[in-house]
Amino acid sequence: MKYINLLRSKGFTCSYFFALILAFLYIDTFAPGAFLNIHPRFEIFNELLNNPNPQGFIPAIHRITWKIILKFSNNLSIPFIVYSGILIFSLHSILSKSNKSELVKSIGLIVLLIIPTFFLYTLQLYKDVQFAALMMLAYSIALSRPDKENTIFAILLMACFYRVHALPLNLLVMVCLVLKNGMSKLQVIMRAVSFVIFYLLVSNALSSFLPRDNTSTHKTILPIFDLNGIAAHSEHHLDNPFVLDKNRNLLTHAQNIEIYNPKRADLWFMQDEIIIDVGHENYSELRDLWGRSILQNPIAYLKHRFKVATNFIFPVESDYISFVNHDKRLKESSFFSPILNWYYELIEVDSVINVSQKLFLYILLMFINILLMFILREKIKSADIVFLLHSVAFLGSFFFAASVVKFKYCIWFVWLTLVLFFRLLLMVNYRIKVK
Amino acid sequence: MRNVFSCFFLFILCVYGHFSSESGNLFFENCLSTAFNSPEVDNQIESCVNLQEKLINSKIKMKNHEKLCVIYNQDKSCKIVKKKFSIDQFIVKIILPECGKENGDQQNCDQLISSLGSYTEFMEIAKNLKGYKINDTLLDCERRTKNKKICSYLE
């Protein structure tokens, strides 16, 4: 009894040991995850080869962890184990911060893991999924810290996860963190400025340790896409000297409409039909043209952006998730495989995947979370507000910066919304007081 | 204390994963269609045995939208093709021959199709090509894929 009490005092609860067993079974059944898609291999290969030409859009923290992991082993099981382990322990930690029984917390963890968007995406070696797993870790750490430290921690977190370019996205969160009752205007300004400087210092310091991106592709995707979108929605012709046809002529209005695809920003995939003539040397000209075109054609720009956003929120089709190798492994495995095989077939047959990949469901859930947070305002922590604001800011920025319509880009927003919902649900006191 | 224990547990799992699972090398078992620029590797047929080592040692430098495709055959030989593939060319040059063969390997065909997982719209086109016969007419191709451009590569 003495030892049990000692363990409890160190945080070793029943639900923790349950999470431990679950993590082992889960990892043993699914390692090394499903990674048949092109992109994860592309990213891993890139890091594996110590490539001096890394992709600029991959967050710093993601690339650092890849590098460290691949230094020790080239086996793709290891990244899978690290990220799924982090995810399971973080989920447990988030859910355990409630006064519900150990059984309820354990059931909550299982229910969360079998929600199709969790179940299917945890198995993918996408950078977005790993990013989401690290976000869960950050949330769980933030919850376990005293509220005073949360502010600095949140800034550090944002600096690590995003590059300097994401500063506008995080400003909203920063402003909310900075504002407190009873502060003078000067204090608010001083604090806001010091946070921005701190953010820039951390994110720049992180970037300086990493190899630089020598290509300009990631910077040019959005301007080229928006220019094409504006041209396709504008009533008059717009010249874009950066995108040419095969004969190196400027695209006509009809050609702009033909190549425009609101679901896909990456016009490089049309390289058989068009030439994209942009590099480091003329990037600033492209940026100027982009800004000018938006200001001169605001309606066309908003129409184009609205079309992209609509495709994200009400997608016609879901991401395809490959399970070819994964199926083979499931048949070979023993303990979990029959149940999981059955579940996998069930969700596929019933098209649960399609239904669960509608972003508007999670936007609705986000509003429910806001309502629940208002009801439970006495119990919630500032970390809950920070992460909720973060997801709201993310959604807002998506309207202006979204490019390729893929559900995986929203996965951390989806997971954060679901986890927050479960956390709030476990905080609600269901007992009805009888007078 | 609990967090320290969790980290230790994950470390043990990683060691277990490193030594027990061969699946990590699945990375090199299927046809890769990724973007690489490889001055050292150019349209040659190589044994797969030391491929991983070779690729690491050669420090292949990546250049956007150039693709190195490693095609593995059933006899474990492989073909490294460096080409400026577009996705639709990839469908016709790589997927179609595998999926359209009389006695083609269906599993390989499925794996190739699923490698297009990030490009849903192209994957639908590739799926429609299953059962397509090399000798089918251009019209058959257009009917199946609803994509004239892809079928034009057959000419």
Side-chain angles (χ1 to χ4, degrees), chain A residues 59-211:
Chain A
I61 194 128
H62 176 81
R63 279 165 49 201
I64 291 170
T65 45
W66 268 122
K67 274 203 177 300
I68 295 168
I69 291 171
L70 291 172
K71 246 188 175 39
F72 293 100
S73 173
N74 287 343
N75 192 322
L76 290 189
S77 295
I78 311 300
F80 177 79
I81 290 169
V82 171
Y83 285 102
S84 14
I86 284 175
L87 179 73
I88 292 175
F89 285 121
S90 305
L91 291 181
H92 166 261
S93 178
I94 294 166
L95 296 184
S96 67
K97 306 269 182 311
S98 80
N99 54 1
K100 292 283 179 296
S101 72
E102 294 293 303
L103 181 68
V104 172
K105 288 174 197 168
S106 303
I107 292 171
L109 183 61
I110 290 188
V111 173
L112 203 49
L113 280 173
I114 60 170
I115 289 175
T117 39
F118 258 103
F119 179 75
L120 296 174
Y121 279 89
T122 44
L123 303 176
Q124 309 298 314
L125 278 179
Y126 281 135
K127 70 174 189 306
D128 312 85
V129 170
Q130 291 152 9
F131 172 59
L134 289 174
M135 203 62 162
M136 294 300 134
L137 174 69
Y139 187 23
S140 70
I141 296 173
L143 279 176
S144 61
R145 278 164 186 271
D147 273 12
K148 277 182 188 172
E149 293 174 26
N150 274 345
T151 312
I152 293 174
F153 180 74
I155 306 283
L156 266 175
L157 184 78
M158 288 181 274
C160 292
F161 282 162
Y162 298 102
R163 288 168 299 129
V164 184
H165 311 79
L167 184 62
L169 166 77
N170 293 317
L171 271 178
L172 172 68
V173 183
M174 285 189 197
V175 168
C176 295
L177 287 167
V178 164
L179 293 177
K180 272 186 182 173
N181 286 337
M183 281 173 77
S184 71
K185 275 182 190 171
L186 185 68
Q187 273 179 314
V188 171
I189 292 167
M190 287 294 283
R191 202 176 268 200
V193 170
S194 56
F195 278 166
V196 171
I197 292 169
F198 181 49
Y199 177 92
L200 287 172
L201 277 176
V202 174
S203 56
N204 274 316
L206 265 176
S207 308
S208 64
F209 285 117
L210 295 165

Side-chain angles (χ1 to χ4, degrees), chain B residues 28-87:
Chain B
F28 296 97
E29 281 177 19
N30 304 307
C31 178
L32 298 176
S33 167
T34 45
F36 293 101
N37 173 27
S38 57
E40 294 88 354
V41 187
D42 196 11
N43 290 336
Q44 52 184 305
I45 295 178
E46 286 284 335
S47 159
C48 291
V49 183
N50 293 319
L51 180 70
Q52 187 173 345
E53 202 183 331
K54 183 177 170 57
L55 288 176
I56 293 167
N57 289 338
S58 66
K59 292 214 187 313
I60 293 169
K61 288 171 190 66
M62 190 194 74
K63 193 175 165 187
N64 283 319
H65 314 298
E66 280 198 338
K67 292 160 178 71
L68 175 78
C69 191
V70 186
I71 305 161
Y72 285 79
N73 299 321
Q74 280 181 330
D75 62 354
K76 298 285 176 194
S77 67
C78 70
K79 194 187 224 173
I80 305 169
V81 187
K82 189 194 122 195
K83 270 200 169 182
K84 245 190 169 177
F85 273 128
S86 63
I87 295 294

Side-chain angles (χ1 to χ4, degrees), chain A residues 26 30 111-124 318-319 321 323 326-327 330 338-357:
Chain A
Y26 192 86
F30 290 119
V111 173
L112 203 49
L113 280 173
I114 60 170
I115 289 175
T117 39
F118 258 103
F119 179 75
L120 296 174
Y121 279 89
T122 44
L123 303 176
Q124 309 298 314
S318 61
D319 278 358
I321 301 171
F323 277 89
H326 167 64
D327 280 346
L330 272 185
I339 309 166
L340 292 173
N341 239 340
W342 168 80
Y343 182 64
Y344 171 59
E345 275 169 25
L346 178 82
I347 55 176
E348 204 180 41
V349 169
D350 290 349
S351 302
V352 181
I353 298 171
N354 268 323
V355 177
S356 64
Q357 289 195 357

Side-chain angles (χ1 to χ4, degrees), chain A residues 10-12 16 20 24 27-28 32 35-39 41-42 45 48-49 51 53 55 73-78 81-82 85 89 92-93 215 217 264 268-269 271-273 317-318 320 322 324-325 328-329 406, chain B residues 1-2 5-6 9-10 13-14 16-18 21 23-24 26-28 30-36 52 55-56 60-62 64-65 85-89 107 111 114-121 123 127 149 153:
Chain A
K10 302 278 183 193
F12 289 99
Y16 174 74
L20 214 66
F24 174 74
I27 285 166
D28 193 48
F35 46 87
L36 277 173
N37 290 332
I38 294 170
H39 279 164
R41 289 192 305 214
F42 176 95
F45 221 152
L48 188 71
L49 298 173
N51 203 304
N53 217 1
Q55 290 283 298
S73 173
N74 287 343
N75 192 322
L76 290 189
S77 295
I78 311 300
I81 290 169
V82 171
F89 285 121
H92 166 261
S93 178
T215 63
T217 316
R264 166 131 240 142
W268 273 265
F269 285 99
Q271 60 188 348
D272 288 344
E273 292 167 30
E317 60 202 20
S318 61
Y320 177 80
S322 166
V324 179
N325 277 342
K328 264 198 274 177
R329 271 194 66 75
K406 291 280 167 212
Chain B
M1 184 67 193
R2 200 180 69 173
F5 187 75
S6 303
F9 178 75
L10 271 182
L13 271 183
C14 287
Y16 169 72
H18 178 78
S21 165
S23 316
L26 278 175
F27 182 35
F28 296 97
N30 304 307
C31 178
L32 298 176
S33 167
T34 45
F36 293 101
Q52 187 173 345
L55 288 176
I56 293 167
I60 293 169
K61 288 171 190 66
M62 190 194 74
N64 283 319
H65 314 298
F85 273 128
S86 63
I87 295 294
D88 38 15
Q89 278 174 319
Q107 201 182 8
Q111 287 196 350
S114 67
S115 75
L116 286 168
S118 301
Y119 311 99
T120 321
E121 67 271 33
M123 208 180 64
K127 268 187 193 170
K149 193 173 155 237
Y153 288 110

